[in-house]
Amino acid sequence: MYSTCSGIDGGTLFQLRNVINRRNVVKDVKKDLNSCEEFMELITTAHILSAAMTVTEVEDLQALSTVILSSEDHLTALTSAAKKVCNQFCKVMFCNESQSSTNSNDQVQQYAMETLSLGMLLSEFKDAIREGDGFRVIRCWKYFLIIFRVTGHKNYCLEALHFLAQYYFTLPPQYAEQMLWGRFVNSRGGQGNNISADLHMEHLNRLLKEAISHLGANKTPSAILRSS
């Protein structure tokens, strides 16, 4: 969804990146993962609010909050608006060139809908990790499997396939449950503060590298072993 050739195309990720001057957002996500994730979360939130204003037929955020809060049952009003947004704007299409040439729909709107849908899926995945909810993670990976397959990311597609196949078919029940619920680490305590076990391992690696760098002239195998 991100192309550096779309700077003049209104509503594209690259054009929005330039409008809000997020220069740390780059095409190669691995070069600055946190900045790219924060940018995608911001864009997703903006798309959600824009879609919510459309379905509630209001012009600004103040009026949107008034519509929600004016209801006696705030949760029901919010849920109703959320369902309308999902039904009207959430759709992952992955239009190729042949589809685009025969489709008379607004391509700008289709791009925005796909951006919103993928952004919400990413938000769901990250929230499932924070809450340590293994079942929600599994559901997200089912979508990821299809998305990676359609977009040609074969290695990620195989990773998703291996994960799902292990959980549903190849692992004994005990190990399948361990894989489902042992993917999270909460090193801070409190609700909603989980991170993935892989990310926690990266944090430990960084701590060890910092400890080794502080050894200076005392950097010996025995000193490194004590640090680890």
Side-chain angles (χ1 to χ4, degrees):
M1 303 299 292
Y2 186 91
S3 172
T4 55
C5 300
S6 60
I8 62 174
D9 298 323
T12 61
L13 291 178
F14 187 62
Q15 186 266 342
L16 294 173
R17 172 255 197 197
N18 294 336
V19 167
I20 61 178
N21 198 26
R22 288 294 182 96
R23 299 182 184 180
N24 52 358
V25 176
V26 292
K27 184 174 180 61
D28 187 357
V29 178
K30 292 183 290 186
K31 292 183 178 180
D32 198 334
L33 174 63
N34 292 332
S35 297
C36 293
E37 282 195 345
E38 291 173 0
F39 172 71
M40 194 64 195
E41 289 179 356
L42 177 62
I43 295 302
T44 302
T45 301
H47 277 63
I48 292 172
L49 292 174
S50 178
M53 287 190 291
T54 300
V55 299
T56 55
E57 300 179 345
V58 298
E59 297 294 332
D60 53 52
L61 295 179
Q62 182 62 41
L64 176 62
S65 62
T66 301
V67 170
I68 301 298
L69 296 177
S70 61
S71 173
E72 294 183 0
D73 189 344
H74 300 165
L75 181 59
T76 300
L78 182 61
T79 302
S80 175
K83 287 182 178 179
K84 291 179 181 178
V85 168
C86 290
N87 291 334
Q88 187 171 341
F89 295 106
C90 289
K91 190 179 299 181
V92 179
M93 293 160 287
F94 297 110
C95 289
N96 57 36
E97 190 172 329
S98 61
Q99 290 175 320
S100 299
S101 62
T102 58
N103 196 332
S104 61
N105 292 335
D106 186 348
Q107 297 297 305
V108 175
Q109 184 182 25
Q110 288 192 4
Y111 179 93
M113 290 168 61
E114 192 161 337
T115 300
L116 171 63
S117 303
L118 293 174
M120 291 179 67
L121 178 59
L122 177 62
S123 298
E124 173 73 4
F125 181 63
K126 295 186 66 176
D127 186 66
I129 292 175
R130 284 192 293 265
E131 298 296 335
D133 192 335
F135 288 130
R136 286 169 62 194
V137 169
I138 281 283
R139 287 199 297 269
C140 289
W141 272 106
K142 292 178 182 178
Y143 285 98
F144 291 152
L145 171 63
I146 300 172
I147 291 172
F148 292 145
R149 175 65 179 86
V150 172
T151 55
H153 293 82
K154 295 182 179 179
N155 291 335
Y156 290 118
C157 179
L158 286 174
E159 193 70 23
L161 178 62
H162 289 163
F163 174 51
L164 295 172
Q166 286 178 336
Y167 177 72
Y168 284 107
F169 303 110
T170 62
L171 287 180
Q174 178 183 352
Y175 292 111
E177 289 300 301
Q178 288 180 2
M179 185 180 70
L180 185 63
W181 302 107
R183 302 170 64 84
F184 317 105
V185 175
N186 190 337
S187 58
R188 298 165 51 190
Q191 186 175 0
N193 289 326
N194 291 280
I195 61 175
S196 65
D198 290 341
L199 180 59
H200 180 64
M201 181 59 66
E202 292 297 327
H203 290 170
L204 296 180
N205 290 339
R206 184 181 63 184
L207 290 174
L208 178 58
K209 291 177 181 178
E210 291 177 353
I212 292 174
S213 66
H214 293 156
L215 292 175
N218 299 318
K219 189 182 298 181
T220 63
S222 60
I224 294 175
L225 182 61
R226 287 196 302 270
S227 297
S228 62

